[in-house]
């Protein structure tokens, strides 16, 4: 059995799949790799319309299987900020994510993809934080949501 079984075991439910195994990018496209795994598992699949996939490098549905650096938690930020800075920082992120989602991300319950890490860094800048802040933890994993 291929290593896709282990690497792609956490395919999100309802993830759009591509059935073009003859595409030149099939071996690095999450949609095709997930399709290969789903052939073994289920009866019902959510497929991208085959006529919408270009089978070229510019395919709009291509999603790379390259692991991405996610960040988890930023509880330590508060300890390194002035109270006014933290209030502004927290307010900016609550406005962006919502209150519950902010606290889930702060605690590390939700891993932040690079795009969300950038949102947090921009909020730090807007709050006037000039020190380099590191997230509580980092992990390399597949980004299923492009």
């Amino acid at each position: 059995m291929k290593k896709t079984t282990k690497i792609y075991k956490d395919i999100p439910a309802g993830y759009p799949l591509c059935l073009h195994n003859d595409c030149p990018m099939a071996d690095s496209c999450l949609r095709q790799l997930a399709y290969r795994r789903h052939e073994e598992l289920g009866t019902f699949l959510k497929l991208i319309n085959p006529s919408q996939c270009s089978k070229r490098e510019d395919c709009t549905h291509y999603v790379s299987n390259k692991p991405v650096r996610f960040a988890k938690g930023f509880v330590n930020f508060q300890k390194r900020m002035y109270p006014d800075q933290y209030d502004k920082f927290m307010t900016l992120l609550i406005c962006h994510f919502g209150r519950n989602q902010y606290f889930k991300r702060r605690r590390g319950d939700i891993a932040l993809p690079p795009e969300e890490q950038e949102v947090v860094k921009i909020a730090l800048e807007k709050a006037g934080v000039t020190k380099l802040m590191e997230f509580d933890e980092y992990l390399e994993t597949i980004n299923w949501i492009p």
Side-chain angles (χ1 to χ4, degrees), residues 90-98 101 105 115-116 119-120:
M90 183 173 73
T91 300
L92 288 166
L93 291 181
I94 287 174
C95 287
H96 183 84
F97 294 120
Q101 294 300 310
R105 284 168 173 78
E115 301 80 23
E116 290 187 11
V119 168
V120 172

Side-chain angles (χ1 to χ4, degrees), residues 47 56 67 76 125 140:
L47 291 175
R56 294 189 316 260
N76 69 56
E125 289 173 14
E140 295 267 328

Side-chain angles (χ1 to χ4, degrees), residues 74-99:
F74 47 92
V75 174
N76 69 56
F77 286 12
Q78 185 175 7
K79 298 172 194 165
R80 301 185 60 212
M81 289 187 211
Y82 294 113
D84 288 345
Q85 288 177 322
Y86 184 73
D87 286 344
K88 184 170 184 176
F89 169 76
M90 183 173 73
T91 300
L92 288 166
L93 291 181
I94 287 174
C95 287
H96 183 84
F97 294 120
R99 185 170 182 78

Side-chain angles (χ1 to χ4, degrees), residues 4-128:
T4 56
T5 302
K6 182 178 178 192
I7 295 173
Y8 307 113
K9 69 181 185 320
D10 297 325
I11 301 167
Y15 190 73
L17 309 172
C18 178
L19 56 83
H20 291 297
N21 62 354
D22 59 338
C23 174
M25 298 180 321
D27 288 335
S28 68
C29 181
L30 282 178
R31 298 192 191 283
Q32 171 50 218
L33 295 168
Y35 174 74
R36 294 174 192 173
R37 177 72 177 131
H38 269 299
E39 283 184 310
E40 304 166 9
L41 299 177
T43 304
F44 300 100
L45 306 174
K46 181 177 180 179
L47 291 175
I48 296 170
N49 183 342
S51 67
Q52 298 300 311
C53 295
S54 67
K55 294 188 187 180
R56 294 189 316 260
E57 289 185 23
D58 64 346
C59 178
T60 57
H61 300 288
Y62 174 79
V63 179
S64 174
N65 68 337
K66 183 179 176 185
V68 175
R69 188 176 186 210
F70 281 76
K72 289 187 79 176
F74 47 92
V75 174
N76 69 56
F77 286 12
Q78 185 175 7
K79 298 172 194 165
R80 301 185 60 212
M81 289 187 211
Y82 294 113
D84 288 345
Q85 288 177 322
Y86 184 73
D87 286 344
K88 184 170 184 176
F89 169 76
M90 183 173 73
T91 300
L92 288 166
L93 291 181
I94 287 174
C95 287
H96 183 84
F97 294 120
R99 185 170 182 78
N100 288 341
Q101 294 300 310
Y102 163 77
F103 283 105
K104 287 180 181 179
R105 284 168 173 78
R106 182 180 183 269
R107 286 190 307 263
D109 296 344
I110 296 175
L112 286 82
E115 301 80 23
E116 290 187 11
Q117 292 173 49
E118 191 60 31
V119 168
V120 172
K121 289 176 184 176
I122 290 169
L124 286 167
E125 289 173 14
K126 287 183 178 179

